[in-house]
Amino acid sequence: DTAVSQTPKYLVTQMGNDKSIKCEQNLGHDTMYWYKQDSKKFLKIMFSYNNKELIINETVPNRFSPKSPDKAHLNLHINSLELGDSAVYFCASSRAGGGDTQYFGPGTRLTVL
Amino acid sequence: AQRVTQPEKLLSVFKGAPVELKCNYSYSGSPELFWYVQYSRQRLQLLLRHISRESIKGFTADLNKGETSFHLKKPFAQEEDSAMYYCALSTYDKVIFGPGTSLSVIP
């Protein structure tokens, strides 16, 4: 029973392409997040969604857009991919907002060529 | 502004030696503090949170509001402790992770 799952695990693509990463949680949590982990292992929050409302957007380029079809899913769409977008992207969820333990997905390693 | 610092990027200790990973934060309110761990090529997972005051895998962390610190300690390091450790501060609407400390336990 995977609590937070992401697909794909690996994504290799060319500059300029548009791609999506999917995330699903079966924990019944209200809040979901996307994080970017760069090559130096620095972890930065990109978005969080609470009951389909965006509540954090941390100076992320508008080429990145989160889409939440329902409470259990938060997908990440990326347009016009750039070399600097290469990173590991983690999805996470928590029962409520701040103050609650975050449960992370396995990560998606994105490589932009 | 809220901030989390972890001064050591890399920390190497010998097996059986004590280990301390430092974490300092800045936040004017009452913080919720966490330690997350990421083993090689695995997902991040919660190690412990200050509110529960538990000891997980032999690790403990005490919140020191005077020094605004939440250092992670273990009296005897094991090889399986080698991992990336992140300190995190959670407020009512935000989660901030520190830059992480890579712990290497030498056999």
Side-chain angles (χ1 to χ4, degrees), chain B residues 43-80:
Chain B
R43 67 184 75 196
L44 279 94
Q45 56 187 288
L46 177 71
L47 182 61
L48 54 81
R49 55 188 296 186
H50 91 272
I51 200 168
S52 62
R53 303 184 70 82
E54 290 175 301
S55 171
I56 307 293
K57 299 185 179 184
F59 284 98
T60 58
D62 288 318
L63 176 60
N64 185 323
K65 289 187 178 180
E67 295 182 359
T68 59
S69 68
F70 189 55
H71 303 327
L72 185 68
K73 299 177 186 178
K74 185 170 181 177
F76 308 103
Q78 303 297 316
E79 287 179 67
E80 55 266 28

Side-chain angles (χ1 to χ4, degrees), chain B residues 28-46:
Chain B
S28 55
S30 291
E32 291 277 352
L33 285 154
F34 302 78
W35 277 99
Y36 286 86
V37 61
Q38 185 180 25
Y39 300 103
S40 180
R41 297 198 171 270
Q42 292 188 27
R43 67 184 75 196
L44 279 94
Q45 56 187 288
L46 177 71

Side-chain angles (χ1 to χ4, degrees), chain A residues 7-110:
Chain A
T7 53
K9 196 169 180 181
Y10 299 96
L11 185 54
V12 181
T13 188
Q14 301 284 337
M15 253 190 340
N17 284 350
D18 303 336
K19 289 292 176 186
S20 295
I21 307 172
K22 293 186 176 179
C23 177
E24 178 181 1
Q25 54 97 1
N26 62 7
L27 297 166
H29 287 170
D30 284 333
T31 307
M32 295 184 72
Y33 310 79
W34 276 105
Y35 289 87
K36 180 181 179 180
Q37 186 181 46
D38 62 23
S39 57
K40 294 182 180 177
K41 302 288 189 183
F42 191 79
L43 195 65
K44 184 176 177 183
I45 190 166
M46 299 176 72
F47 302 103
S48 75
Y49 252 73
N50 186 328
N51 287 329
K52 293 186 147 186
E53 287 187 72
L54 179 67
I55 58 174
I56 300 174
N57 184 336
E58 293 287 324
T59 62
V60 172
N62 58 14
R63 296 182 296 104
F64 291 80
S65 56
K67 298 246 185 335
S68 181
D70 56 56
K71 201 172 88 163
H73 297 84
L74 183 65
N75 304 324
L76 183 66
H77 298 272
I78 317 170
N79 295 326
S80 303
L81 277 155
E82 300 178 358
L83 293 176
D85 298 333
S86 295
V88 180
Y89 292 84
F90 287 98
C91 176
S93 72
S94 66
R95 188 172 51 85
D100 277 337
T101 301
Q102 306 224 341
Y103 293 82
F104 284 83
T108 296
R109 184 174 293 274
L110 171 65

